[in-house]
Amino acid sequence: QVQLAESGGGLVQAGDSLRLSCAASGRTFSNYALGWFRQAPGKEREFVASIVWSSGRTDYANSVKGRFTISRDNAKNTVYLQMNSLKPEDTAVYYCAAGSFAYRTYASAYNYWGQGTQVTVSE
């Protein structure tokens, strides 16, 4: 059974940094993409970043490009999202997901989801 466990969320001020972690277990992910999505109150879930496990290829939403970095640790089966220069509009629940590397910027491509971790950025 695939399990994705996010951690690292919290309350920070604008301009601060946070690093989210997603520990993945239950299968090998060599043919998968791991992605981060976020959902703010009253808004739809949106793509943030993804990484293709085998190649390391990364993709980012325009809104986070240059501020966020996704990476993976193969030995720990863990994906990270380093978030720098955080803004109040980054406030959301952040979800880790695993799924097909095709169409990996779309939530519908992902079969497995974590429970989410709250990130709140104050002014």
Side-chain angles (χ1 to χ4, degrees):
Q1 182 178 357
V2 174
Q3 290 189 323
L4 302 172
E6 304 99 333
S7 62
L11 171 63
V12 296
Q13 292 185 325
D16 285 351
S17 298
L18 273 178
R19 189 177 79 159
L20 305 183
S21 300
C22 173
S25 62
R27 66 165 298 140
T28 57
F29 293 92
S30 56
N31 294 320
Y32 275 66
L34 274 290
W36 287 96
F37 288 76
R38 66 187 182 187
Q39 188 165 19
K43 295 188 177 182
E44 293 188 356
R45 192 169 296 190
E46 66 173 359
F47 170 76
V48 175
S50 66
I51 186 165
V52 178
W53 196 269
S54 57
S55 68
R57 173 176 173 164
T58 59
D59 293 279
Y60 296 93
N62 287 333
S63 59
V64 306
K65 208 170 285 185
R67 300 188 297 123
F68 291 10
T69 303
I70 189 171
S71 62
R72 73 193 187 307
D73 184 327
N74 290 352
K76 295 182 178 179
N77 245 26
T78 299
V79 174
Y80 303 99
L81 184 68
Q82 178 66 43
M83 305 185 295
N84 298 330
S85 303
L86 282 161
K87 304 175 181 180
E89 50 263 45
D90 294 319
T91 296
V93 177
Y94 283 71
Y95 297 91
C96 175
S100 171
F101 54 77
Y103 306 107
R104 55 191 173 273
T105 63
Y106 294 90
S108 58
Y110 292 82
N111 308 101
Y112 307 104
W113 292 83
Q115 292 299 309
T117 185
Q118 177 71 47
V119 172
T120 304
V121 185
S122 63
E123 298 278 357

Tab-separated table of all heavy atoms in Angstrom, residues 2-6 22-25 29 34 96-98 112-115:
chain	number	residue	atom	x	y	z
A	2	VAL	N	0.619	2.123	-0.942
A	2	VAL	CA	1.415	3.341	-1.047
A	2	VAL	C	0.997	4.322	0.048
A	2	VAL	O	-0.192	4.538	0.285
A	2	VAL	CB	1.228	3.994	-2.425
A	2	VAL	CG1	1.941	5.336	-2.476
A	2	VAL	CG2	1.762	3.074	-3.517
A	3	GLN	N	1.996	4.882	0.694
A	3	GLN	CA	1.743	5.911	1.698
A	3	GLN	C	2.648	7.095	1.439
A	3	GLN	O	3.837	6.932	1.151
A	3	GLN	CB	1.976	5.365	3.098
A	3	GLN	CG	0.923	4.354	3.544
A	3	GLN	CD	1.053	3.999	5.013
A	3	GLN	OE1	2.155	3.898	5.541
A	3	GLN	NE2	-0.077	3.802	5.672
A	4	LEU	N	2.079	8.275	1.543
A	4	LEU	CA	2.821	9.521	1.401
A	4	LEU	C	2.564	10.347	2.651
A	4	LEU	O	1.404	10.627	2.979
A	4	LEU	CB	2.359	10.283	0.158
A	4	LEU	CG	2.472	9.536	-1.168
A	4	LEU	CD1	1.793	10.331	-2.276
A	4	LEU	CD2	3.930	9.289	-1.521
A	5	ALA	N	3.631	10.718	3.321
A	5	ALA	CA	3.495	11.444	4.583
A	5	ALA	C	4.239	12.768	4.478
A	5	ALA	O	5.470	12.784	4.412
A	5	ALA	CB	4.029	10.604	5.727
A	6	GLU	N	3.476	13.861	4.500
A	6	GLU	CA	4.081	15.194	4.425
A	6	GLU	C	4.425	15.700	5.825
A	6	GLU	O	3.754	15.349	6.802
A	6	GLU	CB	3.128	16.206	3.770
A	6	GLU	CG	2.627	15.847	2.404
A	6	GLU	CD	1.244	15.238	2.421
A	6	GLU	OE1	0.878	14.631	3.440
A	6	GLU	OE2	0.530	15.379	1.409
A	22	CYS	N	8.235	14.850	2.011
A	22	CYS	CA	7.230	13.848	1.702
A	22	CYS	C	7.927	12.491	1.707
A	22	CYS	O	8.695	12.183	0.793
A	22	CYS	CB	6.587	14.109	0.361
A	22	CYS	SG	5.473	12.793	-0.201
A	23	ALA	N	7.649	11.697	2.724
A	23	ALA	CA	8.217	10.361	2.819
A	23	ALA	C	7.294	9.384	2.120
A	23	ALA	O	6.119	9.262	2.493
A	23	ALA	CB	8.403	9.979	4.282
A	24	ALA	N	7.819	8.703	1.116
A	24	ALA	CA	7.016	7.797	0.301
A	24	ALA	C	7.371	6.348	0.621
A	24	ALA	O	8.549	6.014	0.790
A	24	ALA	CB	7.258	8.072	-1.177
A	25	SER	N	6.370	5.493	0.703
A	25	SER	CA	6.610	4.083	0.995
A	25	SER	C	5.556	3.228	0.309
A	25	SER	O	4.532	3.730	-0.154
A	25	SER	CB	6.591	3.841	2.502
A	25	SER	OG	5.325	4.169	3.036
A	29	PHE	N	9.275	3.869	-6.898
A	29	PHE	CA	8.702	4.986	-7.622
A	29	PHE	C	9.499	5.327	-8.884
A	29	PHE	O	9.391	6.437	-9.403
A	29	PHE	CB	8.614	6.207	-6.699
A	29	PHE	CG	7.628	6.016	-5.585
A	29	PHE	CD1	8.025	5.510	-4.358
A	29	PHE	CD2	6.295	6.311	-5.771
A	29	PHE	CE1	7.119	5.311	-3.335
A	29	PHE	CE2	5.377	6.128	-4.750
A	29	PHE	CZ	5.789	5.621	-3.537
A	34	LEU	N	6.675	12.475	-8.659
A	34	LEU	CA	6.204	12.930	-7.363
A	34	LEU	C	5.939	14.425	-7.494
A	34	LEU	O	6.776	15.161	-8.021
A	34	LEU	CB	7.257	12.688	-6.273
A	34	LEU	CG	7.291	11.329	-5.600
A	34	LEU	CD1	6.082	11.121	-4.702
A	34	LEU	CD2	7.429	10.197	-6.586
A	96	CYS	N	1.415	16.237	-1.117
A	96	CYS	CA	2.349	15.443	-1.897
A	96	CYS	C	1.544	14.380	-2.639
A	96	CYS	O	0.562	13.841	-2.096
A	96	CYS	CB	3.355	14.786	-0.962
A	96	CYS	SG	4.514	13.660	-1.742
A	97	ALA	N	1.952	14.075	-3.877
A	97	ALA	CA	1.223	13.094	-4.663
A	97	ALA	C	2.186	12.303	-5.524
A	97	ALA	O	3.267	12.791	-5.879
A	97	ALA	CB	0.184	13.785	-5.543
A	98	ALA	N	1.786	11.093	-5.864
A	98	ALA	CA	2.587	10.231	-6.740
A	98	ALA	C	1.705	9.717	-7.866
A	98	ALA	O	0.558	9.317	-7.629
A	98	ALA	CB	3.169	9.059	-5.948
A	112	TYR	N	-1.956	8.674	-5.973
A	112	TYR	CA	-1.768	8.591	-4.526
A	112	TYR	C	-1.527	9.982	-3.970
A	112	TYR	O	-0.771	10.769	-4.539
A	112	TYR	CB	-0.584	7.677	-4.202
A	112	TYR	CG	-0.675	6.322	-4.831
A	112	TYR	CD1	0.094	5.997	-5.955
A	112	TYR	CD2	-1.546	5.357	-4.327
A	112	TYR	CE1	-0.001	4.757	-6.553
A	112	TYR	CE2	-1.645	4.113	-4.921
A	112	TYR	CZ	-0.877	3.818	-6.023
A	112	TYR	OH	-0.974	2.584	-6.617
A	113	TRP	N	-2.149	10.237	-2.815
A	113	TRP	CA	-2.067	11.554	-2.192
A	113	TRP	C	-1.798	11.414	-0.703
A	113	TRP	O	-2.289	10.493	-0.052
A	113	TRP	CB	-3.388	12.305	-2.384
A	113	TRP	CG	-3.647	12.677	-3.799
A	113	TRP	CD1	-4.197	11.873	-4.771
A	113	TRP	CD2	-3.351	13.926	-4.420
A	113	TRP	NE1	-4.259	12.558	-5.963
A	113	TRP	CE2	-3.750	13.812	-5.778
A	113	TRP	CE3	-2.794	15.114	-3.981
A	113	TRP	CZ2	-3.594	14.863	-6.687
A	113	TRP	CZ3	-2.647	16.155	-4.877
A	113	TRP	CH2	-3.041	16.024	-6.212
A	114	GLY	N	-1.023	12.372	-0.191
A	114	GLY	CA	-0.847	12.452	1.246
A	114	GLY	C	-1.994	13.224	1.885
A	114	GLY	O	-2.912	13.679	1.193
A	115	GLN	N	-1.896	13.386	3.201
A	115	GLN	CA	-2.963	14.055	3.950
A	115	GLN	C	-2.837	15.573	3.910
A	115	GLN	O	-3.799	16.280	4.223
A	115	GLN	CB	-2.945	13.577	5.400
A	115	GLN	CG	-3.339	12.119	5.540
A	115	GLN	CD	-4.739	11.854	5.053
A	115	GLN	OE1	-5.689	12.528	5.441
A	115	GLN	NE2	-4.887	10.883	4.146
